[in-house]
Amino acid sequence: MPSDPSDTPPPKPPRPQTPDYRTPLPGHPKASPVDTAGMTLDQITAIKIADVRAKKIRRLAGVAMGDATTTAFFAFCCFCCVCLGWINLVLGIAFAIVAFIAFKNARAIRQFDTKAPKRLALNQLLLLAIITAYCIFQMLAALWSTAPVSPDLSDALAQYGVAPADIAPKIREYTMGFYALVILGSVLTQGLTAAYYLSRAHLIDDFLASTPQWVVDFRRTIPR
């Protein structure tokens, strides 16, 4: 007697294959390896451990992004003051170049580029050179100026019985002192910032040496 078809158990669905998390999906060189929802517990744990190790690297990228934003702001201010002199245009372009390099390498740090911290340090030295050159230019302009007091200020001083020749040396002295302080402040600020980047260069090397390559590739594709 033929068996009842209803008694036959349904066929089992094929067991899904575990995807390869080490490389991107075929045909998509920049695609995300896979959704983390399909990962095993060990793979998710490896990513979480790597994220903890990369905490200082993300902080380094944040510092670089902050430097880039600040420099870009000063570049914008210089461009807004172009009407006050051609030197502001030159300074704005120089600041914009420094900001562009900083933005680019801040993103490179998130991609675990081992050379990015060194490039950021050199970028800080470039910024120091720009500020120093600007200050020296202003100091020489004040030193060589035959009329450090503007005509309007001369007229105002004359109303109070003050001769421009009497106050001109003081103006030169204050100008020289101000820009000397700016140079000193820049040496300290940019010098310490460059030293900070160099001191953190080993973080990326240590991360790459202690992290599985597939995790590095995953975080490069999906940066945190």
Side-chain angles (χ1 to χ4, degrees):
M1 183 175 181
S3 60
D4 189 354
S6 60
D7 296 337
T8 304
K12 294 182 179 181
R15 184 177 180 179
Q17 296 181 352
T18 303
D20 185 0
Y21 296 94
R22 295 169 296 178
T23 57
L25 294 176
H28 299 277
K30 295 184 179 181
S32 167
V34 285
D35 190 345
T36 54
M39 290 184 176
T40 65
L41 180 60
D42 290 341
Q43 291 165 336
I44 295 175
T45 301
I47 291 177
K48 289 184 177 180
I49 293 174
D51 288 343
V52 173
R53 291 173 178 167
K55 182 178 180 180
K56 292 183 179 180
I57 297 177
R58 293 194 298 270
R59 187 182 305 163
L60 177 63
V63 172
M65 190 64 67
D67 287 341
T69 303
T70 302
T71 309
F73 172 76
F74 282 114
F76 173 77
C77 293
C78 291
F79 286 133
C80 291
C81 299
V82 169
C83 58
L84 301 179
W86 62 269
I87 189 65
N88 292 317
L89 176 61
V90 176
L91 198 60
I93 294 174
F95 280 159
I97 293 174
V98 172
F100 173 78
I101 295 174
F103 277 124
K104 182 178 180 180
N105 285 280
R107 292 191 296 268
I109 288 177
R110 294 186 179 275
Q111 295 295 312
F112 309 111
D113 186 344
T114 56
K115 297 181 180 179
K118 295 180 181 178
R119 289 196 294 263
L120 285 168
L122 292 175
N123 196 43
Q124 286 297 308
L125 297 181
L126 174 61
L127 179 59
L128 172 60
I130 292 170
I131 295 175
T132 301
Y134 169 76
C135 291
I136 291 176
F137 173 82
Q138 293 293 349
M139 292 167 72
L140 293 176
L143 188 62
W144 293 339
S145 176
T146 57
V149 181
S150 64
D152 294 337
L153 182 58
S154 298
D155 296 339
L157 293 174
Q159 296 178 0
Y160 294 96
V162 180
D166 297 334
I167 198 174
K170 285 294 182 182
I171 294 178
R172 289 194 181 96
E173 180 181 343
Y174 292 148
T175 301
M176 300 289 284
F178 171 76
Y179 285 110
L181 288 176
V182 173
I183 293 175
L184 178 61
S186 183
V187 169
L188 293 175
T189 303
Q190 271 61 64
L192 291 175
T193 305
Y196 168 78
Y197 286 135
L198 290 177
S199 68
R200 294 297 185 271
H202 69 92
L203 294 176
I204 300 178
D205 292 327
D206 295 344
F207 176 81
L208 294 177
S210 60
T211 305
Q213 185 60 43
W214 71 266
V215 177
V216 175
D217 295 338
F218 179 81
R219 275 291 165 235
R220 281 172 174 165
T221 307
I222 309 177
R224 182 174 178 180

